[in-house]
């Protein structure tokens, strides 16, 4: 599952992507520097992984990851093809959720396509272009349903009425999220404004301007969206340092929790993901899966052979292990359970899959 990083040109999207992945994606003071999407897997911070690694004296500790895609800046008129807009909008259609970067810093050396800083206006421009694209798509779907509906197809008539209501809502400026589009329709149509969204307030080294941040938070509140505040430039610089030096730089900057970690965690929540763990002396590893995933599919996350030859899952809760201190104690308390293919994985499960092929 992917999160697309979107925003107007020059708001710090590629700088953020550099910070998130340590990659060298283009981050230049010029619109449309990023034309093709850049993809990176961002490690998801999880204290439980560190604890398990120590308890099992693991040679290797591997975190789970959140996939971010850096999508080029969108401009006003993108839905009509302005600024390569149609191509960029198709990239957004392919992701599962949106991280909308909004500029909340003043810097005369960095071109501001709006002329003045206005987080609400910036967010509205992106939302409007996504909304117009959704309207075009809904109108096309409506046209395709006309014939089957006229021929007496009951299901087509129901879909036609549903799509008519959606088109009406889009024309009134209401997003697919606010119209509570049914999951099956959203899956089929992939409406851009139906995708989960979070906002990233990109600040300078001194932190956010209170008025700019308040304006963005007010905008986000209308969508029940969270706002993650960070300085992408500083995060990108720190991530270039050796791992052992980063903590002292964060401390010097007065940052208790790195913005990248907060963003990755917010992305996990946005996508409705959970983590389960496999642990042992060779490796302790976190695996990120959608909430509601069955055990057999979780096994396939590790390897297709394990899914194919699945026998059972032997698992226990991370919290129980920490509380009791050992696997043996868990067994004595009857807290190691044997589960079949249909077991729904829970966040914090530590599991060993038995299989035979």
């Amino acid at each position: 599952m992917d999160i697309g990083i979107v925003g107007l040109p020059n708001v710090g999207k590629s700088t953020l992507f550099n910070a998130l992945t340590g990659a060298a994606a283009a981050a230049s003071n010029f619109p449309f520097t990023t034309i093709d999407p850049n993809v990176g897997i961002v490690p998801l911070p999880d204290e439980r992984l560190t604890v398990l690694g120590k308890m099992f004296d693991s040679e290797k500790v591997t975190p789970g990851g959140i996939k971010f895609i850096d999508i080029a800046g969108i401009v006003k008129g993108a839905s009509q093809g302005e600024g390569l807009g149609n191509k960029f909008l198709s990239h957004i259609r392919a992701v599962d959720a949106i991280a909308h970067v909004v500029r909340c810093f003043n810097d005369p050396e960095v071109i501001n396509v709006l002329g003045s800083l206005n987080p609400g206006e910036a967010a509205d421009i992106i939302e409007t272009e996504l909304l117009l694209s959704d309207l075009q798509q809904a109108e096309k779907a409506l046209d395709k349903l006309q014939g089957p509906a006229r021929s007496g197809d009951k299901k087509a008539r129901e879909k036609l009425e549903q799509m008519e209501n959606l088109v009406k809502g889009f024309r009134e400026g209401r997003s697919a999220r606010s119209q509570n589009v049914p999951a099956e329709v959203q899956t089929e149509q992939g409406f851009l404004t139906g995708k989960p969204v979070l906002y990233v307030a990109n600040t300078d080294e001194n932190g956010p301007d209170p008025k700019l941040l308040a304006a963005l938070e007010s905008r986000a509140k209308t969508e029940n969206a969270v706002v993650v505040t960070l300085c992408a430039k500083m995060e990108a610089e720190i991530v270039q340092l050796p791992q052992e030096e980063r903590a002292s730089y964060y401390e010097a900057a007065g940052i208790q929790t790195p913005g990248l970690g907060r963003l990755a965690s917010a992305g996990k929540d946005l996508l409705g993901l959970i983590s389960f763990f496999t642990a042992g002396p060779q490796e302790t590893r976190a695996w990120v899966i959608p909430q509601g995933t069955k055990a057999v599919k979780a096994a396939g996350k590790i390897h297709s052979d394990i899914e194919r030859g699945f026998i059972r899952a032997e698992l226990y809760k991370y919290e129980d292990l920490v509380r009791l201190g050992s696997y043996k104690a868990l067994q004595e308390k009857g807290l190691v359970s044997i589960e079949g293919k249909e077991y729904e994985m829970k966040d914090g499960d530590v599991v060993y899959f038995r299989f035979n092929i």
Side-chain angles (χ1 to χ4, degrees):
M1 301 184 76
D2 311 337
I3 298 178
I5 302 174
V6 307
L8 294 174
N10 288 359
V11 297
K13 299 180 309 302
S14 292
T15 302
L16 175 62
F17 184 80
N18 290 348
L20 284 167
T21 64
S28 174
N29 181 24
F30 190 81
F32 313 125
T33 298
T34 306
I35 294 178
D36 294 316
N38 296 283
V39 182
I41 304 294
V42 182
L44 183 65
D46 196 324
E47 282 187 19
R48 299 174 297 181
L49 190 65
T50 304
V51 172
L52 286 170
K54 290 179 179 178
M55 292 185 75
F56 283 88
D57 195 22
S58 304
E59 294 177 10
K60 185 180 179 182
V61 175
T62 306
I66 304 294
K67 185 186 288 187
F68 283 87
I69 298 180
D70 181 26
I71 298 171
I74 300 172
V75 297
K76 193 171 183 179
S79 60
Q80 305 301 320
E82 293 293 330
L84 304 180
N86 288 331
K87 182 177 180 181
F88 300 157
L89 290 172
S90 71
H91 293 154
I92 300 173
R93 200 171 301 283
V95 302
D96 300 290
I98 296 170
H100 185 166
V101 183
V102 179
R103 179 172 169 173
C104 292
F105 66 89
N106 285 287
D107 188 340
E109 295 185 3
V110 179
I111 298 169
N112 182 2
V113 295
L114 286 182
S116 61
L117 285 179
N118 187 327
E121 182 184 355
D124 284 342
I125 287 174
I126 299 294
E127 183 75 4
T128 297
E129 295 306 321
L130 301 187
L131 195 63
L132 289 171
S133 179
D134 283 349
L135 174 59
Q136 292 172 9
Q137 181 158 333
E139 287 175 336
K140 288 178 183 176
L142 191 63
D143 288 342
K144 289 181 180 179
L145 289 167
Q146 297 285 354
R150 281 196 299 267
S151 69
D153 187 324
K154 184 178 179 182
K155 201 166 189 178
R157 283 203 305 269
E158 291 174 355
K159 286 186 174 183
L160 179 68
E161 183 179 350
Q162 188 177 56
M163 199 58 65
E164 285 174 339
N165 290 331
L166 284 173
V167 166
K168 182 175 182 290
F170 288 144
R171 286 174 178 167
E172 292 172 349
R174 292 188 288 128
S175 68
R177 288 186 297 275
S178 67
Q179 294 190 67
N180 297 315
V181 175
E184 62 273 14
V185 176
Q186 177 61 29
T187 299
E188 180 182 345
Q189 297 294 332
F191 290 127
L192 302 179
T193 60
K195 296 179 184 293
V197 64
L198 65 82
Y199 289 92
V200 181
N202 187 19
T203 76
D204 60 20
E205 290 87 343
N206 298 317
D209 179 301
K211 290 184 179 179
L212 295 178
L213 181 60
L216 182 58
E217 289 177 334
S218 176
R219 175 71 169 71
K221 190 176 181 181
T222 63
E223 300 182 69
N224 293 317
V226 301
V227 177
V228 177
T229 304
L230 53 78
C231 174
K233 181 181 178 183
M234 183 172 66
E235 298 277 357
E237 291 171 350
I238 292 176
V239 83
Q240 299 301 320
L241 298 172
Q243 183 72 41
E244 61 273 12
E245 295 181 18
R246 295 177 191 175
S248 59
Y249 274 82
Y250 279 119
E251 185 178 349
I255 299 174
Q256 294 182 344
T257 305
L260 302 186
R262 287 185 284 109
L263 180 57
S265 296
K268 178 186 176 185
D269 293 340
L270 187 69
L271 291 171
L273 303 175
I274 63 171
S275 296
F276 74 90
F277 307 97
T278 51
Q282 289 188 328
E283 183 183 29
T284 289
R285 183 164 181 167
W287 304 88
V288 181
I289 56 174
Q291 190 170 7
T293 299
K294 300 295 178 64
V296 65
K297 290 297 181 183
K301 177 80 174 180
I302 300 173
H303 199 285
S304 58
D305 284 349
I306 304 178
E307 179 180 359
R308 185 159 53 93
F310 182 96
I311 298 174
R312 63 178 180 271
E314 299 175 7
L315 58 84
Y316 50 89
K317 307 298 180 186
Y318 166 82
E319 292 80 5
D320 290 337
L321 177 64
V322 171
R323 177 169 54 86
L324 296 177
S326 72
Y327 181 78
K328 184 179 179 181
L330 289 170
Q331 287 180 310
E332 292 172 351
K333 294 287 187 180
L335 293 174
V336 179
S337 63
I338 307 298
E339 305 293 348
K341 292 182 178 181
E342 294 302 307
Y343 170 77
E344 189 175 295
M345 299 294 292
K346 304 295 190 299
D347 189 65
D349 280 347
V350 185
V351 61
Y352 178 75
F353 292 109
R354 293 201 177 274
F355 68 103
N356 183 38
I357 54 174

